[in-house]
Amino acid sequence: MKPSTSDANTTAVVAQVPSLEFVVGNTPAQLKVNATRRIKSHVSRQAWKTHFKNNPKPPPSRRRRKNAERAAAITTTYEYVGGPTARNAEEVDAAGVGAAVVDAPPPGAQLQLQLQLHPPERLTLDYHLGGGRVDPFKSYPRTWKPFIPALVDHYLVHMAVDIPELDQPGNKGLLRSSWFPLVMSDAATFQTILLLSASNSVSNNRVPDTGYEILQLKSDAITFINAAFSNEQRRISDAVIGAVAKMASFEAMHGSVESYQLHMRGLQRMVSIRGGLSALGLGGLLRRIVVWIDLNSSFLLKTPRFFPRESFAEEGEPEPSPQSFLAP
């Protein structure tokens, strides 16, 4: 008996159906060892779909989006505040002139620097080691020495602190924002600040391995100041007047009464040539620094003041503050 046409078609269809294999598990690790690669891939794909469906990826945080948008280039402008500066004590000739000065941009010249901003989490500054304060380019107004960064950092952290008598109401941190840029513009002022910083750090045992000699720093400071006196454009400038005033404060704290009075008499003469304390710059800050040194040194040494009628404000008698004067 011949099979019917319908039976033949059914047999053909059954022959085309592949054999099925049932696998128990919902992750590739649960598959049998002899499972085919195709089955493993299929189960893996389904498992990941289920995972993402049950654990949707959170949108990026608002902070991360802002950080990504801030990665852009900006231009920062710096203003040069001083004239030519001395290179170092070794380059000053016997007359104190000549090689002591170098060419520099005119006062008020603007220097531009392009910076690439990155998200804050990419910036890793160690502020305990001077991050943000120590100049990585070593652009100091005198020849670089290994001990300079530590002394500059010590001065900014422990000595250029907020002092109400100098800052005056409504201001804060003028020793860092106004005075220190002037220090960085002139070698004589900068060297005097190094001397004060070294003396203070040694007195407070903050720098066990100094790498410098106090007497050498003092000798260099005097050499730079004498070189400035030989230059008509610098001899009564704000920077040099500040240097002489700071040398006087050094002698009041660490030197002798005679040396202190010698520097103060010279300072008196320089201020007189300038036209009085009111003619000094930095918006009155330099005047207050001179009065601050005169008042506290007179209190410490028990000597008459060199500027007896001067005060920090228009009214009221100024009072000494030896704790702030000596610095922590």
Side-chain angles (χ1 to χ4, degrees):
M1 180 178 175
K2 296 179 65 178
S4 63
T5 307
S6 60
D7 293 338
N9 292 338
T10 300
T11 304
V13 173
V14 172
Q16 294 177 0
V17 176
S19 60
L20 300 177
E21 180 180 356
F22 292 93
V23 178
V24 179
N26 56 6
T27 64
Q30 294 175 319
L31 299 179
K32 294 181 179 180
V33 178
N34 58 355
T36 64
R37 182 177 181 182
R38 187 174 180 180
I39 294 175
K40 291 183 178 181
S41 176
H42 172 74
V43 175
S44 178
R45 186 164 54 252
Q46 295 302 318
W48 280 113
K49 284 184 179 179
T50 304
H51 171 77
F52 286 126
K53 183 178 180 181
N54 297 332
N55 302 278
K57 184 179 180 181
S61 65
R62 184 177 180 182
R63 183 177 178 182
R64 290 196 175 190
R65 289 198 303 268
K66 279 191 173 183
N67 289 342
E69 293 171 357
R70 288 178 58 192
I74 65 170
T75 299
T76 301
T77 302
Y78 297 92
E79 182 174 348
Y80 183 80
V81 296
T85 60
R87 289 178 179 170
N88 54 62
E90 294 81 0
E91 294 180 355
V92 179
D93 57 21
V97 239
V101 296
V102 296
D103 293 333
Q110 291 185 339
L111 309 176
Q112 290 187 338
L113 175 67
Q114 279 202 340
L115 303 174
Q116 182 71 29
L117 288 182
H118 296 284
E121 61 264 24
R122 296 185 185 178
L123 298 177
T124 55
L125 292 179
D126 191 336
Y127 291 95
H128 295 288
L129 298 178
R133 300 184 301 270
V134 176
D135 184 0
F137 301 104
K138 304 177 183 178
S139 54
Y140 301 107
R142 59 149 294 168
T143 301
W144 186 83
K145 299 290 184 182
F147 56 79
I148 289 181
L151 292 182
V152 171
D153 189 64
H154 176 84
Y155 177 77
L156 291 175
V157 173
H158 300 289
M159 303 182 70
V161 296
D162 299 339
I163 300 177
E165 293 86 348
L166 299 182
D167 292 334
Q168 295 292 288
N171 297 318
K172 190 176 181 180
L174 292 185
L175 288 179
R176 297 183 297 274
S177 62
S178 296
W179 162 250
F180 191 69
L182 180 67
V183 171
M184 291 292 290
S185 72
D186 192 279
T189 319
F190 181 73
Q191 184 65 33
T192 306
I193 291 302
L194 291 183
L195 171 63
L196 282 169
S197 179
S199 302
N200 181 266
S201 62
V202 170
S203 299
N204 292 278
N205 297 320
R206 287 197 174 98
V207 185
D209 185 13
T210 58
Y212 51 78
E213 294 290 341
I214 298 295
L215 291 179
Q216 184 61 53
L217 291 175
K218 180 179 178 181
S219 174
D220 290 346
I222 294 175
T223 300
F224 280 122
I225 292 175
N226 288 336
F229 288 157
S230 302
N231 188 311
E232 294 184 2
Q233 296 179 350
R234 296 175 56 205
R235 62 178 57 170
I236 57 172
S237 65
D238 285 341
V240 178
I241 287 177
V244 175
K246 287 296 183 179
M247 276 298 300
S249 69
F250 168 81
E251 294 293 350
M253 291 183 287
H254 307 285
S256 63
V257 176
E258 293 77 15
S259 297
Y260 161 74
Q261 292 176 336
L262 177 65
H263 290 301
M264 288 300 292
R265 284 194 291 269
L267 179 64
Q268 232 179 2
R269 176 62 177 160
M270 296 169 70
V271 170
S272 176
I273 295 175
R274 276 287 295 269
L277 288 175
S278 59
L280 303 183
L282 299 183
L285 175 60
L286 185 56
R287 172 191 170 277
R288 295 194 295 273
I289 290 176
V290 172
V291 174
W292 170 259
I293 293 173
D294 179 41
L295 176 64
N296 286 281
S297 299
S298 173
F299 176 81
L300 289 176
L301 302 176
K302 303 185 183 308
T303 59
R305 292 183 58 188
F306 283 84
F307 300 93
R309 290 181 294 274
E310 297 291 342
S311 178
F312 302 111
E314 294 181 358
E315 298 179 358
E317 185 70 21
E319 295 184 0
S321 179
Q323 287 186 336
S324 299
F325 181 66
L326 295 173

